[in-house]
Amino acid sequence: MKKEMLINVLQPEESRIAIIEDGVLEELYVERTSAEAYVGNVYKGRVVNIEPSIQAVFVDFGVGRNGFLHVSDVEYQYYKHLLDERERNEVERGRNSKLNERSSRNKPPIQDIFQRGSEVLVQVIKEGIGSKGPTLSTYISIPGRYLVLMPGLNRLGVSRKIADDELRRNLRKILKALDPPAGLGFIIRTAGVDRSAKDLQGDMNYLLRLWKTIVRRLEKLPSPIDIYEESDMITRTIRDIYHTDIEAIWIDEPAAFERAREFMKVVLPKHVDRVQYYDGKQPLFNHYKIEDEIDRIQSRRVPLKGGGSLVIDQTEALVAIDVNSGSSRSADDAERAAYQVNLEAAEEIARQIRLRDLGGVIVNDFIDMREEKHRRGVERKLRTCVERDRARTKVLRISPFGLIEMTRQRIRPSLRRSTYEDCPCCIGAGQVKTAESMAIEVMRALMLSASVPDVAEVRVEVSQRVADYLINKKRREITNLEERYSVLVRVQTGINVSPSHLQTRCFNKLGTPLKSADNAS
């Protein structure tokens, strides 16, 4: 399997990174320079509001929007002075074992931990979406190439993505032999599995130097202030995603190419030749025939090779994915046909939510299957396909209605929300009122305006198609209204207005506007 990384940064407003396997797009990362990215950055903030009802505080960390910090994301050092000896011992045991210290069950109320004006070191773990501000945590994690420094962890660990127990034990022994400083925690990343102790030691030394710099800034600078910022997208992606099975990294911009080579010389000098400059006449993504595929990512309907399709609808709270059989129906064995379509759909669903960066609750409506072995088979297929996802996912069992509910870690807004905005005509609903519906509203507005004392003329402004409907099909009703109320009605066409545009303006006999009778929508 040929695997390559493509980095397109020719447009200064946007950076795009794609991972392709045998010419098929498997991962896509897009970042706009106009939209500041905060995830991973560390700030010294100040508590500005406390909400005991939801056990959270809002923190001003200097970016113009307050961040949300829940009690479950408050690290032990902030509340240990509030615990008695028995409670402290219990938490310490949890911090040094696999118990979940982040659970809010044994923590004091957040109003006891913080006061307004309290300073707190926080890291952004989720971008703000819509009206919601960024989500913060006091559990700081600083990633290196092979290790992650977690000052609040207080123990050594191995990434949960490394499943082999024997390998995990060996890695933990190697990490312990490096003799990290007391009080700091380290986790070995998947990229560190086949690295030597010397490589791990070098990465640890780099992270320790970085942490000392952070501590110095923390002690000297007043809040709110940024303490540590994540690397640029290219450096970050190579650090976090590059693996030895990627045969080449193609970059289409000279400065970015040099920057990537310099970074690779530091972290993986043996692989520096895999970073290559693309100078072809055809744009990079077009050369690899994935530009059209990226355009299809935004489509509501996704065709499946077997004739079925997916329909993906994204709402504020969840994503609904419907599996349609399409032309793949088989009268001979409907159950078997449904099973095959569902297996193909499960694989494509995992790929689509990864490419579109969909997060939160995702409800998948598969084609109904009667046999239990087929239902379990679709569950296993979906779970297997989401294992390669870098975001955390949880897949539930299939329901009696053929639904599989799942959650996916939401770190940043989806690709659609990053590149699209709500239509000003339909306000994001996807539909607008018909000309008939608008004409009915216009007649009601005319009756209301005409009934106001001193009104002699009503001018109504609507879109072209509504104006045509009024003139052709409502002419008699308008004439009757003019005679009944002794007013003159003028229908005007607005320029570049939405289909739902409606504005009425009223005038007296002298032609003076009557603002109290005007109406607009």
Side-chain angles (χ1 to χ4, degrees):
M1 180 181 293
K2 187 177 182 181
K3 194 172 181 180
E4 296 176 283
M5 179 185 293
L6 313 179
I7 301 179
N8 166 228
V9 285
L10 276 179
Q11 302 302 320
E13 299 87 0
E14 183 179 70
S15 300
R16 298 189 299 173
I17 298 179
I19 307 292
I20 59 172
E21 296 180 8
D22 291 334
V24 178
L25 179 65
E26 290 294 340
E27 296 181 50
L28 177 67
Y29 304 91
V30 180
E31 190 172 280
R32 293 279 175 89
T33 55
S34 59
E36 289 191 64
Y38 302 117
V39 170
N41 294 356
V42 178
Y43 299 87
K44 183 180 181 180
R46 187 181 300 275
V47 174
V48 293
N49 198 17
I50 301 174
E51 296 290 346
S53 59
I54 56 174
Q55 283 297 288
V57 296
F58 290 91
V59 179
D60 175 11
F61 60 103
V63 301
R65 300 179 69 185
N66 293 336
F68 177 86
L69 175 63
H70 189 261
V71 68
S72 60
D73 284 306
V74 177
E75 206 266 325
Y76 172 61
Q77 300 297 331
Y78 288 93
Y79 61 83
K80 66 179 182 179
H81 62 284
L82 299 174
L83 305 179
D84 58 34
E85 187 175 353
R86 180 188 61 81
E87 291 172 327
R88 281 198 295 270
N89 291 335
E90 184 176 335
V91 174
E92 289 289 350
R93 285 197 301 272
R95 281 159 57 83
N96 291 300
S97 69
K98 292 184 179 180
L99 296 176
N100 186 8
E101 190 257 319
R102 295 197 182 200
S103 170
S104 57
R105 183 178 57 186
N106 299 320
K107 293 184 178 181
I110 199 158
Q111 61 267 31
D112 294 342
I113 301 175
F114 295 113
Q115 297 177 344
R116 285 187 179 178
S118 297
E119 291 188 332
V120 56
L121 184 67
V122 294
Q123 186 169 34
V124 180
I125 58 175
K126 189 188 300 183
E127 294 281 9
I129 299 175
S131 60
K132 298 178 181 178
T135 302
L136 309 177
S137 175
T138 62
Y139 293 92
I140 309 300
S141 62
I142 309 295
R145 173 61 184 159
Y146 311 120
L147 303 174
V148 178
L149 168 63
M150 301 186 70
L153 186 64
N154 198 33
R155 64 184 175 89
L156 307 179
V158 178
S159 170
R160 280 180 280 187
K161 293 184 179 180
I162 302 173
D164 185 87
D165 291 335
E166 182 66 26
L167 180 58
R168 292 177 66 87
R169 283 193 291 271
N170 291 336
L171 289 172
R172 199 172 276 110
K173 287 180 183 177
I174 294 173
L175 188 56
K176 190 174 182 179
L178 297 180
D179 194 25
L184 294 179
F186 285 90
I187 291 178
I188 295 184
R189 309 181 68 177
T190 52
V193 169
D194 53 355
R195 310 312 303 177
S196 66
K198 183 179 179 181
D199 290 335
L200 298 180
Q201 183 69 66
D203 204 38
M204 180 180 289
N205 293 339
Y206 159 73
L207 289 171
L208 290 175
R209 289 195 301 271
L210 182 58
W211 179 243
K212 288 180 181 178
T213 302
I214 290 174
V215 171
R216 282 199 300 269
R217 288 178 59 83
L218 183 64
E219 293 173 346
K220 291 181 180 179
L221 301 175
S223 62
I225 191 70
D226 63 304
I227 299 296
Y228 161 80
E229 290 188 5
E230 262 283 32
S231 306
D232 64 84
M233 186 183 182
I234 296 174
T235 303
R236 191 169 67 242
T237 306
I238 294 176
R239 181 195 68 198
D240 296 343
I241 296 175
Y242 176 79
H243 197 266
T244 52
D245 60 352
I246 295 179
E247 298 179 14
I249 301 175
W250 291 97
I251 305 176
D252 61 3
E253 200 274 326
F257 166 71
E258 292 298 334
R259 199 161 63 246
R261 280 183 63 89
E262 289 300 319
F263 178 73
M264 192 64 89
K265 285 179 184 177
V266 175
V267 296
L268 280 174
K270 293 181 180 179
H271 292 195
V272 70
D273 290 338
R274 296 192 185 187
V275 180
Q276 300 181 44
Y277 176 60
Y278 176 80
D279 59 354
K281 294 182 179 179
Q282 196 176 26
L284 177 61
F285 279 24
N286 293 93
H287 176 74
Y288 281 86
K289 297 180 174 59
I290 62 171
E291 197 69 75
D292 291 340
E293 194 168 356
I294 292 174
D295 290 339
R296 286 196 296 271
I297 290 174
Q298 311 295 357
S299 300
R300 181 171 177 259
R301 183 176 295 272
V302 180
L304 301 176
K305 293 180 181 177
S309 64
L310 304 178
V311 177
I312 303 174
D313 285 318
Q314 184 179 354
T315 71
E316 187 72 26
L318 59 83
V319 177
I321 302 179
D322 183 31
V323 181
N324 293 326
S325 57
S327 61
S328 65
R329 298 183 182 89
S330 172
D332 299 331
D333 189 352
E335 173 72 14
R336 185 70 184 175
Y339 179 53
Q340 292 300 326
V341 173
N342 284 340
L343 287 179
E344 187 182 356
E347 184 174 355
E348 188 63 25
I349 284 171
R351 178 171 172 266
Q352 288 294 325
I353 63 175
R354 192 169 63 244
L355 291 175
R356 298 173 186 235
D357 208 2
L358 300 175
V361 178
I362 302 172
V363 180
N364 305 287
D365 183 10
F366 287 91
I367 302 170
D368 289 339
M369 298 172 293
R370 296 178 182 177
E371 294 188 23
E372 186 67 17
K373 66 176 182 179
H374 289 162
R375 297 161 71 88
R376 300 284 84 82
V378 172
E379 286 177 16
R380 287 193 297 272
K381 181 68 172 179
L382 184 58
R383 287 195 176 97
T384 301
C385 291
V386 299
E387 283 180 356
R388 66 174 296 169
D389 201 332
R390 302 180 193 282
R392 291 193 302 272
T393 58
K394 182 179 181 181
V395 181
L396 302 184
R397 298 192 66 176
I398 193 167
S399 76
F401 300 110
L403 304 176
I404 293 184
E405 298 173 56
M406 62 182 292
T407 60
R408 183 175 184 270
Q409 181 185 16
R410 192 201 301 269
I411 299 175
R412 60 184 62 85
S414 69
L415 186 62
R416 171 171 284 274
R417 294 194 186 279
S418 301
T419 55
Y420 283 69
E421 62 182 12
D422 286 344
C423 169
C425 296
C426 68
I427 319 301
Q431 294 177 316
V432 294
K433 290 182 180 179
T434 63
E436 182 183 28
S437 299
M438 284 304 302
I440 293 172
E441 284 193 26
V442 169
M443 295 307 299
R444 292 183 184 133
L446 287 174
M447 291 177 64
L448 177 62
S449 298
S451 65
V452 175
D454 299 329
V455 171
E457 181 183 342
V458 181
R459 297 176 190 172
V460 58
E461 183 181 271
V462 291
S463 64
Q464 180 66 57
R465 65 184 191 133
V466 178
D468 293 342
Y469 191 97
L470 289 169
I471 293 170
N472 295 324
K473 296 189 178 183
K474 289 288 186 178
R475 184 188 296 273
R476 180 176 298 178
E477 292 180 39
I478 293 174
T479 301
N480 292 339
L481 185 145
E482 288 177 321
E483 293 175 354
R484 179 182 176 185
Y485 291 98
S486 299
V487 298
L488 176 65
V489 175
R490 294 184 185 273
V491 178
Q492 299 176 332
T493 302
I495 299 175
N496 297 327
V497 297
S498 74
S500 302
H501 177 73
L502 169 57
Q503 182 183 61
T504 59
R505 289 177 293 172
C506 300
F507 301 84
N508 61 17
K509 292 180 179 179
L510 300 176
T512 304
L514 301 175
K515 292 186 178 180
S516 60
D518 290 347
N519 183 37
S521 66

